[in-house]
Amino acid sequence: MTRPRPVIAIDGPAGVGKSTTARVLAQRLGYTLVDTGALYRGVALAARDRGIAWDDEAAVAEVALEAALGFAPQDDGTPRLLIDGKDRADEIRTPEMSAGASQVSAYPGVRRALLEMQRDLGREGGVVLEGRDIGTVVFPDAEVKLFLTASAEERARRRVEDLQNRGTDADYDQILAKIRSRDEADSTRAIAPLRPAEDAVILDSTSLDLESVVQHVLELVQACN
Ligand code: DC
């Protein structure tokens, strides 16, 4: 291993439990957590702030270069997205920003602008990065690569449960349709499509609980020490 502590790459489709898995792992290992989807969401929000339409590819790519995106650490280990120095972590979590992030993440200029930033955040190791192309593009040399999957139905069921626990009404069919359309958009785009790296460990979490998934990754981390 070239780094003293590993880079852990967790990729997979929307709603598969990457964020929770990555957060628990980062907490247990004392590693930094990098939610790369938050950066794409940040580009979508920064474009909207500037009155730029998401279908204006050239202008959105400029935004990705000029907006100062970053993370402020949190005591509970969940970093908060900063845009131009302001905490925008809650505003990027709307269905509208999910759609915007999915759209702008297909632009090569946007992906280029965010690539070096992601590499800088993980270069030293001791980091858990979660996204869609961490194991394939951002850190093809990551010491641990996990590709999480679960059926679209199970992911929709978990999302409904999550929203209901937070006191929000949720329509299963609508959520399932959105998950399917994001899967389609993320995995069929020309650049950095969602797919497992050849050397990734593929884990189907449809019938696994969080702790089993976490234990599985901890074993992979131990194996590379
Ligand atoms: O993980 P998320 O839902 O916050 O991601 C938002 C969007 O960003 C998602 O539609 C795909 C895109 N994304 C990406 O293309 N590459 C990444 N590494 C992370 C997210």
Side-chain angles (χ1 to χ4, degrees):
M1 194 161 86
T2 51
R3 286 175 277 254
R5 297 190 303 169
V7 167
I8 303 178
I10 303 185
D11 291 305
V16 77
K18 297 186 298 293
S19 308
T20 315
T21 305
R23 191 178 64 240
V24 172
L25 277 169
Q27 275 165 351
R28 295 220 188 142
L29 293 163
Y31 285 11
T32 304
L33 173 64
V34 180
D35 167 7
T36 63
L39 298 173
Y40 291 93
R41 289 169 182 269
V43 171
L45 181 56
R48 206 191 56 181
D49 287 348
R50 290 159 169 79
I52 290 165
W54 290 330
D55 57 8
D56 187 343
E57 179 169 349
V60 172
E62 273 300 309
V63 171
L65 282 173
E66 79 174 36
L69 300 174
F71 291 106
Q74 275 293 100
D75 289 346
D76 69 356
T78 318
R80 299 193 52 93
L81 183 78
L82 304 176
I83 305 178
D84 300 322
K86 276 177 66 182
D87 185 321
R88 311 295 297 273
D90 297 325
E91 287 163 89
I92 58 170
R93 295 290 153 207
T94 62
E96 190 200 355
M97 289 303 139
S98 300
S102 186
Q103 186 170 352
V104 304
S105 67
Y107 300 151
V110 170
R111 302 204 75 87
R112 259 196 314 276
L114 298 185
L115 184 59
E116 273 316 302
M117 187 188 309
Q118 295 172 79
R119 287 187 174 152
D120 283 344
L121 289 166
R123 205 177 303 281
E124 304 293 319
V127 67
V128 184
L129 294 109
E130 55 121 337
R132 303 292 191 287
D133 63 341
I134 309 304
T136 50
V137 176
V138 183
F139 280 101
D141 64 342
E143 287 80 7
V144 176
K145 290 186 191 178
L146 181 74
F147 192 88
L148 269 182
T149 65
S151 68
E153 291 78 8
E154 172 64 12
R155 286 182 278 139
R157 194 196 62 72
R158 290 178 192 171
R159 180 86 187 120
V160 168
E161 195 177 84
D162 195 40
L163 287 167
Q164 283 171 348
N165 286 340
R166 287 193 245 157
T168 313
D169 269 348
D171 181 85
Y172 173 84
D173 290 328
Q174 215 174 30
I175 287 175
L176 180 60
K178 276 198 183 139
I179 283 183
R180 287 201 170 123
S181 84
R182 270 224 281 166
D183 280 0
E184 170 77 11
D186 292 346
S187 51
T188 57
R189 68 178 174 223
I191 178 165
L194 173 67
R195 64 173 174 79
E198 271 173 24
D199 53 352
V201 172
I202 300 175
L203 197 59
D204 184 339
S205 76
T206 304
S207 52
L208 291 179
D209 62 9
L210 173 66
E211 189 55 32
S212 313
V213 176
V214 167
Q215 282 307 324
H216 197 93
V217 187
L218 288 174
E219 280 166 27
L220 297 175
V221 174
Q222 255 166 12
C224 76
N225 276 331

